[in-house]
Amino acid sequence: MVAILQQAFQARRAVKIIAGLNNFDSARVVQIVRAAEAGGATFVDIACDAELIRLVRRSTDLPVCVSAIEPQGLLMAVRSGADCVEIGNFDSFYARGVRFDAEVVLDLARRSRDLLGCDVMLSVTVPHTLSLDVQVSLAVQLEALGADIIQTEGGTSSRPTHPGTLGLVEKAAPTLAAAYEISRSVSVPVLCASGLSAVTVPMALACGAAGVGVGSAVNRLDDEVAMVAQVRAIVEAVEQACVFERVSP
Protein backbone atom coordinates (compact mmCIF):
# COMPACT_ATOMS: atom_id res chain seq x y z
CA MET A 1 0.00 0.00 0.00
CA VAL A 2 2.81 2.41 0.85
CA ALA A 3 4.37 1.73 -2.55
CA ILE A 4 1.09 2.80 -4.21
CA LEU A 5 1.20 6.10 -2.33
CA GLN A 6 4.86 6.68 -3.09
CA GLN A 7 4.30 6.08 -6.80
CA ALA A 8 1.31 8.44 -6.88
CA PHE A 9 3.25 11.21 -5.17
CA GLN A 10 6.25 10.65 -7.41
CA ALA A 11 3.99 11.01 -10.44
CA ARG A 12 2.45 14.11 -8.81
CA ARG A 13 -1.09 12.77 -9.13
CA ALA A 14 -2.04 11.61 -5.62
CA VAL A 15 -5.69 12.24 -4.73
CA LYS A 16 -6.81 11.87 -1.13
CA ILE A 17 -10.51 11.90 -0.26
CA ILE A 18 -11.17 12.99 3.31
CA ALA A 19 -14.21 11.33 4.85
CA GLY A 20 -14.34 13.85 7.69
CA LEU A 21 -11.84 13.71 10.50
CA ASN A 22 -14.59 14.01 13.11
CA ASN A 23 -16.93 11.74 11.21
CA PHE A 24 -17.48 8.55 13.23
CA ASP A 25 -20.68 7.55 11.43
CA SER A 26 -19.49 4.19 10.12
CA ALA A 27 -22.18 3.83 7.43
CA ARG A 28 -21.50 7.31 6.14
CA VAL A 29 -17.73 6.84 6.16
CA VAL A 30 -17.99 3.56 4.25
CA GLN A 31 -20.24 5.26 1.69
CA ILE A 32 -17.64 7.99 1.12
CA VAL A 33 -14.84 5.44 0.94
CA ARG A 34 -16.73 3.38 -1.64
CA ALA A 35 -17.27 6.52 -3.71
CA ALA A 36 -13.57 7.39 -3.43
CA GLU A 37 -12.58 3.98 -4.74
CA ALA A 38 -15.17 3.97 -7.53
CA GLY A 39 -14.12 7.47 -8.57
CA GLY A 40 -10.44 6.58 -8.88
CA ALA A 41 -8.96 8.27 -5.79
CA THR A 42 -5.50 7.21 -4.59
CA PHE A 43 -6.32 6.93 -0.89
CA VAL A 44 -8.74 7.94 1.83
CA ASP A 45 -8.36 9.78 5.13
CA ILE A 46 -10.62 8.86 8.05
CA ALA A 47 -11.12 9.59 11.74
CA CYS A 48 -8.90 7.98 14.35
CA ASP A 49 -11.02 5.15 15.73
CA ALA A 50 -9.93 1.51 15.90
CA GLU A 51 -13.27 -0.03 14.93
CA LEU A 52 -13.77 2.44 12.11
CA ILE A 53 -10.30 1.74 10.75
CA ARG A 54 -10.89 -2.00 10.76
CA LEU A 55 -14.28 -1.56 9.09
CA VAL A 56 -12.88 0.64 6.33
CA ARG A 57 -9.92 -1.69 5.89
CA ARG A 58 -12.42 -4.48 5.13
CA SER A 59 -14.44 -2.24 2.81
CA THR A 60 -11.79 -1.00 0.39
CA ASP A 61 -8.55 -1.87 -1.34
CA LEU A 62 -7.44 1.76 -1.19
CA PRO A 63 -4.65 2.78 1.20
CA VAL A 64 -6.10 4.22 4.41
CA CYS A 65 -4.69 7.28 6.17
CA VAL A 66 -5.72 8.26 9.70
CA SER A 67 -5.31 11.73 11.20
CA ALA A 68 -4.87 12.67 14.85
CA ILE A 69 -2.89 15.02 17.06
CA GLU A 70 -1.81 12.44 19.63
CA PRO A 71 1.16 10.15 18.90
CA GLN A 72 -0.47 7.31 20.83
CA GLY A 73 -3.55 7.65 18.65
CA LEU A 74 -1.41 7.35 15.54
CA LEU A 75 0.25 4.23 16.92
CA MET A 76 -3.17 2.72 17.61
CA ALA A 77 -4.19 3.55 14.04
CA VAL A 78 -1.20 1.69 12.59
CA ARG A 79 -1.88 -1.31 14.81
CA SER A 80 -5.52 -1.25 13.66
CA GLY A 81 -4.59 -1.37 9.97
CA ALA A 82 -3.84 2.18 8.80
CA ASP A 83 -1.35 2.36 5.94
CA CYS A 84 -0.16 5.86 6.79
CA VAL A 85 -0.83 8.43 9.50
CA GLU A 86 -1.05 12.18 9.69
CA ILE A 87 -0.54 14.74 12.40
CA GLY A 88 -3.48 16.98 11.63
CA ASN A 89 -7.17 17.64 12.09
CA PHE A 90 -6.32 21.03 13.55
CA ASP A 91 -9.53 22.55 12.18
CA SER A 92 -11.67 21.04 14.92
CA PHE A 93 -9.59 22.98 17.46
CA TYR A 94 -9.55 26.29 15.62
CA ALA A 95 -13.29 26.63 16.15
CA ARG A 96 -12.63 26.50 19.90
CA GLY A 97 -9.93 29.13 19.72
CA VAL A 98 -7.04 26.65 20.07
CA ARG A 99 -3.97 27.31 17.94
CA PHE A 100 -0.89 25.18 17.26
CA ASP A 101 2.43 26.98 17.13
CA ALA A 102 5.50 25.64 15.34
CA GLU A 103 7.10 24.20 18.48
CA VAL A 104 3.98 22.21 19.34
CA VAL A 105 3.82 20.69 15.85
CA LEU A 106 7.54 19.89 15.92
CA ASP A 107 7.15 18.19 19.30
CA LEU A 108 4.22 16.12 18.01
CA ALA A 109 6.23 15.12 14.94
CA ARG A 110 9.30 14.20 16.99
CA ARG A 111 7.32 12.12 19.46
CA SER A 112 5.33 10.44 16.69
CA ARG A 113 8.41 9.49 14.69
CA ASP A 114 10.11 8.11 17.81
CA LEU A 115 7.01 6.07 18.67
CA LEU A 116 6.24 4.83 15.15
CA GLY A 117 9.76 4.18 13.95
CA CYS A 118 11.03 4.91 10.47
CA ASP A 119 8.91 2.42 8.53
CA VAL A 120 5.53 4.16 8.93
CA MET A 121 4.63 6.82 6.39
CA LEU A 122 4.07 10.03 8.36
CA SER A 123 2.35 13.12 7.02
CA VAL A 124 2.36 16.37 8.99
CA THR A 125 -0.01 19.28 8.45
CA VAL A 126 1.44 22.77 8.70
CA PRO A 127 -1.09 25.05 10.44
CA HIS A 128 -2.33 27.81 8.17
CA THR A 129 -2.73 30.08 11.20
CA LEU A 130 1.05 30.59 11.10
CA SER A 131 2.50 33.24 8.81
CA LEU A 132 3.76 31.91 5.48
CA ASP A 133 7.43 32.36 6.37
CA VAL A 134 6.92 30.42 9.61
CA GLN A 135 5.02 27.72 7.70
CA VAL A 136 7.99 27.31 5.37
CA SER A 137 10.48 27.19 8.23
CA LEU A 138 8.35 24.62 10.04
CA ALA A 139 8.08 22.46 6.91
CA VAL A 140 11.87 22.42 6.53
CA GLN A 141 12.29 21.36 10.16
CA LEU A 142 9.59 18.69 9.80
CA GLU A 143 11.39 17.21 6.82
CA ALA A 144 14.59 17.07 8.88
CA LEU A 145 12.68 15.21 11.62
CA GLY A 146 11.58 12.55 9.15
CA ALA A 147 8.18 13.66 7.86
CA ASP A 148 7.43 11.84 4.60
CA ILE A 149 4.72 14.25 3.44
CA ILE A 150 3.98 17.89 4.26
CA GLN A 151 0.32 18.88 4.05
CA THR A 152 -1.04 22.39 3.72
CA GLU A 153 -4.41 23.72 4.83
CA GLY A 154 -6.48 26.88 5.05
CA GLY A 155 -9.79 26.43 3.24
CA THR A 156 -11.96 26.05 6.32
CA SER A 157 -11.04 29.50 7.56
CA SER A 158 -11.18 31.20 4.17
CA ARG A 159 -14.14 33.51 3.62
CA PRO A 160 -14.84 33.91 -0.12
CA THR A 161 -16.64 37.11 -1.08
CA HIS A 162 -17.83 35.95 -4.51
CA PRO A 163 -20.01 33.07 -5.73
CA GLY A 164 -19.14 30.51 -8.38
CA THR A 165 -15.67 29.90 -9.77
CA LEU A 166 -14.17 33.07 -8.33
CA GLY A 167 -15.39 32.06 -4.88
CA LEU A 168 -13.81 28.61 -5.27
CA VAL A 169 -10.47 30.23 -6.12
CA GLU A 170 -10.76 32.58 -3.15
CA LYS A 171 -11.52 29.67 -0.84
CA ALA A 172 -8.44 27.77 -1.97
CA ALA A 173 -6.06 30.74 -1.87
CA PRO A 174 -4.50 30.10 1.57
CA THR A 175 -3.63 26.46 0.92
CA LEU A 176 -2.43 27.23 -2.61
CA ALA A 177 -0.11 29.94 -1.33
CA ALA A 178 1.30 27.59 1.30
CA ALA A 179 1.82 24.82 -1.27
CA TYR A 180 3.70 27.22 -3.54
CA GLU A 181 6.06 28.46 -0.84
CA ILE A 182 6.63 25.14 0.95
CA SER A 183 7.16 23.02 -2.18
CA ARG A 184 10.10 25.23 -3.11
CA SER A 185 11.77 24.65 0.24
CA VAL A 186 11.44 20.91 0.88
CA SER A 187 12.25 17.79 -1.13
CA VAL A 188 9.47 15.59 0.30
CA PRO A 189 6.05 15.63 -1.41
CA VAL A 190 3.63 18.41 -0.53
CA LEU A 191 -0.06 17.52 -0.36
CA CYS A 192 -2.29 20.55 -0.84
CA ALA A 193 -5.57 20.16 1.03
CA SER A 194 -8.50 22.08 2.51
CA GLY A 195 -10.94 24.13 0.47
CA LEU A 196 -10.06 22.54 -2.87
CA SER A 197 -12.44 21.57 -5.67
CA ALA A 198 -12.20 20.29 -9.24
CA VAL A 199 -11.66 23.93 -10.24
CA THR A 200 -8.64 24.48 -8.03
CA VAL A 201 -6.82 21.12 -7.85
CA PRO A 202 -4.94 21.87 -11.11
CA MET A 203 -3.78 25.11 -9.48
CA ALA A 204 -2.45 23.13 -6.52
CA LEU A 205 -0.29 21.03 -8.85
CA ALA A 206 0.86 24.15 -10.68
CA CYS A 207 1.88 25.56 -7.29
CA GLY A 208 4.18 22.58 -6.75
CA ALA A 209 1.99 20.11 -4.88
CA ALA A 210 2.52 16.40 -5.56
CA GLY A 211 -1.03 15.57 -4.53
CA VAL A 212 -4.31 17.02 -3.35
CA GLY A 213 -6.68 16.33 -0.49
CA VAL A 214 -10.38 16.99 -0.91
CA GLY A 215 -13.01 16.70 1.81
CA SER A 216 -16.17 18.79 1.81
CA ALA A 217 -16.51 18.88 -1.99
CA VAL A 218 -17.26 15.15 -1.71
CA ASN A 219 -18.38 14.36 1.83
CA ARG A 220 -21.03 17.11 1.94
CA LEU A 221 -22.98 15.29 -0.77
CA ASP A 222 -25.82 12.98 0.24
CA ASP A 223 -25.98 10.74 -2.81
CA GLU A 224 -23.25 8.17 -3.44
CA VAL A 225 -23.60 8.49 -7.22
CA ALA A 226 -23.01 12.24 -6.90
CA MET A 227 -19.98 11.53 -4.68
CA VAL A 228 -18.50 9.21 -7.29
CA ALA A 229 -19.04 11.83 -9.99
CA GLN A 230 -17.32 14.48 -7.89
CA VAL A 231 -14.35 12.23 -7.14
CA ARG A 232 -14.03 11.42 -10.84
CA ALA A 233 -14.12 15.14 -11.68
CA ILE A 234 -11.29 15.77 -9.23
CA VAL A 235 -9.23 12.82 -10.49
CA GLU A 236 -9.75 13.89 -14.10
CA ALA A 237 -8.70 17.45 -13.25
CA VAL A 238 -5.48 16.10 -11.74
CA GLU A 239 -4.85 13.84 -14.75
CA GLN A 240 -5.41 16.70 -17.19
CA ALA A 241 -3.04 18.92 -15.24
CA CYS A 242 -0.37 16.20 -15.38
CA VAL A 243 -0.83 15.84 -19.14
CA PHE A 244 -0.58 19.60 -19.59
CA GLU A 245 2.69 19.65 -17.61
CA ARG A 246 4.17 16.90 -19.80
CA VAL A 247 3.35 18.68 -23.09
CA SER A 248 4.22 22.20 -21.93
CA PRO A 249 7.55 23.53 -23.28
Side-chain angles (χ1 to χ4, degrees):
M1 289 294 188
V2 172
I4 293 173
L5 293 177
Q6 290 172 334
Q7 291 167 6
F9 279 112
Q10 186 174 11
R12 301 186 67 246
R13 57 177 62 189
V15 175
K16 178 174 78 169
I17 300 301
I18 304 166
L21 302 182
N22 293 314
N23 182 4
F24 297 95
D25 181 338
S26 58
R28 178 69 173 165
V29 171
V30 169
Q31 183 184 43
I32 296 166
V33 168
R34 284 199 308 258
E37 186 166 23
T42 310
F43 64 127
V44 293
D45 197 349
I46 65 172
C48 189
D49 176 82
E51 288 301 319
L52 186 62
I53 296 166
R54 286 190 280 267
L55 175 63
V56 169
R57 183 74 283 157
R58 295 192 301 268
S59 304
T60 184
D61 291 325
L62 291 180
V64 177
C65 179
V66 173
S67 298
I69 61 163
E70 287 296 333
Q72 287 291 342
L74 298 179
L75 179 61
M76 176 278 294
V78 171
R79 289 174 174 173
S80 299
D83 299 294
C84 62
V85 292
E86 177 190 322
I87 298 171
N89 198 13
F90 300 139
D91 287 337
S92 61
F93 292 88
Y94 296 153
R96 291 181 272 167
V98 178
R99 297 290 184 269
F100 295 80
D101 62 28
E103 288 306 317
V104 169
V105 177
L106 284 170
D107 180 62
L108 288 171
R110 187 179 298 109
R111 289 163 50 206
S112 297
R113 183 49 85 197
D114 289 345
L115 193 61
L116 297 169
C118 297
D119 295 331
V120 176
M121 180 175 278
L122 175 65
S123 175
V124 184
T125 299
V126 172
H128 79 278
T129 52
L130 304 173
S131 63
L132 266 180
D133 60 326
V134 175
Q135 289 186 51
V136 172
S137 176
L138 174 56
V140 171
Q141 294 176 79
L142 289 169
E143 180 180 18
L145 281 176
D148 300 295
I149 303 164
I150 303 296
Q151 181 167 306
T152 64
E153 61 166 22
T156 56
S157 296
S158 182
R159 296 291 179 266
T161 58
H162 295 84
T165 300
L166 181 54
L168 292 174
V169 174
E170 290 174 338
K171 186 172 182 61
T175 195
L176 293 174
Y180 181 88
E181 295 292 344
I182 291 172
S183 65
R184 281 153 179 74
S185 302
V186 299
S187 58
V188 296
V190 172
L191 190 144
C192 185
S194 187
L196 296 181
S197 65
V199 171
T200 50
V201 292
M203 299 178 190
L205 300 180
C207 285
V212 297
V214 178
S216 60
V218 175
N219 63 42
R220 64 179 171 78
L221 301 172
D222 294 324
D223 180 69
E224 189 170 332
V225 173
M227 290 180 191
V228 173
Q230 185 63 259
V231 174
R232 283 180 179 162
I234 292 161
V235 171
E236 288 172 3
V238 169
E239 294 290 340
Q240 290 169 4
C242 291
V243 169
F244 179 78
E245 283 187 353
R246 287 197 295 269
V247 301
S248 295

